[in-house]
Amino acid sequence: KQKQDVSVCGNIKNQDYLDICYKEVGVAKKDITICNNIESYDHKSLCITGVAAAKQELSICEELDYGLVEFCYEKVGIAKKDVGVCDKIIQNEGWKNDCYISVATYKQDSSVCDKIQIEYVRDQCYRDVGKARKDIDICNKIKTHHLKDECKND
């Protein structure tokens, strides 16, 4: 309940802690205007990303600098469990793959793993989905031996 009240930040003198407080309240209240009180670029960016994910609104990501838009897309894609949002990530393959793995595991859908280009990362995705579904056929798609063993031996 306290995280929902911006007045709790009022007594904080240290700027870094104040920024963190505003970030926590902004995300908890899903209120991007609270993020605008933040001086630190990093905390402000995380606040905006957190609000976008909490509201599951991709358009909020456009408030961020170019380099962070796709990080925001990843967080929204995971929050929405929406592969279509993951597909919008073009520049950062790591963020895209993290998004795919999270969505695939949540939906227990190994076809999402097929979108991952890097074999080892795709195998990690198959492992996570195979374990979640307890499905040996998914485990058998894995080419990396220790990941296949992890998938089958759970």
Side-chain angles (χ1 to χ4, degrees):
K1 182 75 178 145
Q2 214 172 16
K3 276 188 177 178
Q4 297 257 341
D5 187 359
V6 80
S7 68
V8 300
C9 303
N11 296 327
I12 300 172
K13 303 291 183 246
N14 177 296
Q15 188 61 52
D16 198 44
Y17 292 140
L18 183 61
D19 286 348
I20 292 168
C21 185
Y22 283 138
K23 178 184 73 172
E24 297 288 324
V25 175
V27 172
K29 291 187 77 157
K30 302 180 186 179
D31 185 349
I32 199 167
T33 61
I34 295 171
C35 301
N36 294 329
N37 294 320
I38 299 173
E39 286 188 16
S40 157
Y41 173 81
D42 291 340
H43 289 305
K44 186 173 190 173
S45 299
L46 288 170
C47 183
I48 292 168
T49 299
V51 171
K55 293 179 88 168
Q56 299 186 9
E57 285 184 26
L58 210 52
S59 62
I60 294 172
C61 297
E62 305 304 324
E63 306 259 337
L64 293 163
D65 288 344
Y66 176 75
L68 292 174
V69 170
E70 291 192 346
F71 173 71
C72 186
Y73 285 177
E74 176 203 354
K75 300 304 177 197
V76 174
I78 291 169
K80 290 181 79 165
K81 287 122 178 104
D82 183 347
V83 129
V85 176
C86 304
D87 290 338
K88 293 180 180 298
I89 302 170
I90 307 299
Q91 301 297 322
N92 191 305
E93 193 170 12
W95 292 338
K96 180 179 230 165
N97 290 339
D98 287 346
C99 190
Y100 285 146
I101 291 170
S102 293
V103 172
T105 305
Y106 177 80
K107 291 188 169 184
Q108 297 188 9
D109 182 356
S110 66
S111 70
V112 176
C113 302
D114 298 338
K115 293 175 159 284
I116 299 172
Q117 301 300 310
I118 301 167
E119 181 179 282
Y120 184 79
V121 179
R122 186 173 51 245
D123 285 350
Q124 289 175 313
C125 186
Y126 287 143
R127 177 202 58 201
D128 292 351
V129 175
K131 284 172 75 168
R133 291 183 61 171
K134 298 179 180 3
D135 186 335
I136 201 82
D137 290 334
I138 295 171
C139 297
N140 285 330
K141 291 181 172 187
I142 299 171
K143 293 181 175 43
T144 309
H145 294 294
H146 76 275
L147 293 176
K148 185 181 278 193
D149 291 343
E150 284 177 26
C151 186
K152 289 181 173 182
N153 297 329
D154 198 38

